Every structure is written in C-alpha cells, then in structure tokens.
Amino acid sequence: MRKAKAKLREVDPDPRYQDTLVAKFVNNLMLQGKKSLAYRVFYEAMDVMEEKSEEGALATFKKAVENVTPQVEVRSRRVGGATFQIPQEVRTSRKISLAMKWIVKFSRARSGKSMGQKLAEELLAASKGEGGAFKKKEDTHRMAEANKAFSHFRF
C-alpha cells in the first residue's frame, strides 16, 4: 500500500504559445525522449491548421481536445464470479490525458504524409466532431450507456 498520494508534477508551458496544455500534448506525442522532434512535429501541425482553419490554430487545438474529452468510461469489476463493465465518471486529469492519447493514437494510424500533416488532419477533424478520436469518445459513451444497468455495482 502507498503511504501518500503521488505528487503531481508541474509542466512548464511550451515556448511558442506559453500553454501548459500544449506542453502536455507534446509529452504525449514524444517517442523515445525526443522532445525537440515532438515540438517540431506539433508546430508543423499547428502551421498547417493555421492555414486551413478560420479560427486560430491554438483555439482549434483546444476545441479538438475538448470535443474528444470523455465524461464517462467503463471499468471492469468482478462481482460474484462474473465480470461486469461498470460505467464511471472520469477524473478531470484522466479526461484530458485520455483525449490527448486518443488524438495521438489516431493521428499515427492515419495513412501517408508526414506526422505533422496527419496530426493536423486529426485535430481539424476532432474540432469539427469527426475523426477516429471523436468516434472513440462516442463509442466509450455508448458503451457506458449500454451498461448503465450495472452502475449499482460501482465502487
């Protein structure tokens, strides 16, 4: 058992936008500790989004993350020999984390082009309520709704 709750680390804001959400997103995007490369990919995506969207790139990015953020998720719980999928509300920090992970995952899954282009397309799609990451959120909510009957097993 843990003696104390883990301390949350402060994330320094990114150099261009001075935003901690961007810095957290870049940390999710980063592979094998290559943060400068992750920033380069992210800023390339932001430049592409600046050209394609009417609003600013940062506003589009924040709207995309907000649109993909789940409110509920299902967690497995074993009750009386059977495993049930129980819907639960998601903690605030986990909501944002899941949204960013889904955006990165579905950006990588897109075909062709550079990672910056794929990320820009996924973020633009998410800001419009489309794309793989948004579909994942909808599927998560649908599954939670379908398993509402088991919510009395909540822990």
Side-chain angles (χ1 to χ4, degrees), residues 30-105:
M30 176 174 53
L31 290 173
Q32 298 179 350
K34 297 186 180 253
K35 191 176 258 189
S36 59
L37 180 61
Y39 269 118
R40 209 172 333 147
V41 167
F42 180 78
Y43 290 145
E44 179 191 338
M46 293 299 265
D47 293 339
V48 170
M49 285 169 43
E50 195 74 55
E51 295 167 11
K52 291 186 178 180
S53 68
E54 311 82 57
E55 310 151 14
L58 189 62
T60 307
F61 167 72
K62 287 189 176 187
K63 188 172 185 204
V65 172
E66 185 182 311
N67 283 353
V68 177
T69 302
Q71 302 304 314
V72 288
E73 67 178 342
V74 289
R75 302 190 110 173
S76 297
R77 171 136 169 125
R78 195 166 162 83
V79 179
T83 305
F84 296 105
Q85 297 286 327
I86 299 168
Q88 282 194 323
E89 274 194 42
V90 189
R91 290 189 331 271
T92 310
S93 58
R94 183 164 163 77
K95 284 180 187 181
I96 296 166
S97 176
L98 282 172
M100 291 190 290
K101 285 175 186 173
W102 290 344
I103 290 170
V104 170
K105 176 184 174 188

Side-chain angles (χ1 to χ4, degrees), residues 12-29:
D12 294 334
D14 76 298
R16 191 189 284 186
Y17 298 104
Q18 300 301 314
D19 194 340
T20 55
L21 184 66
V22 170
K24 285 180 184 179
F25 188 83
V26 168
N27 288 343
N28 272 304
L29 184 62

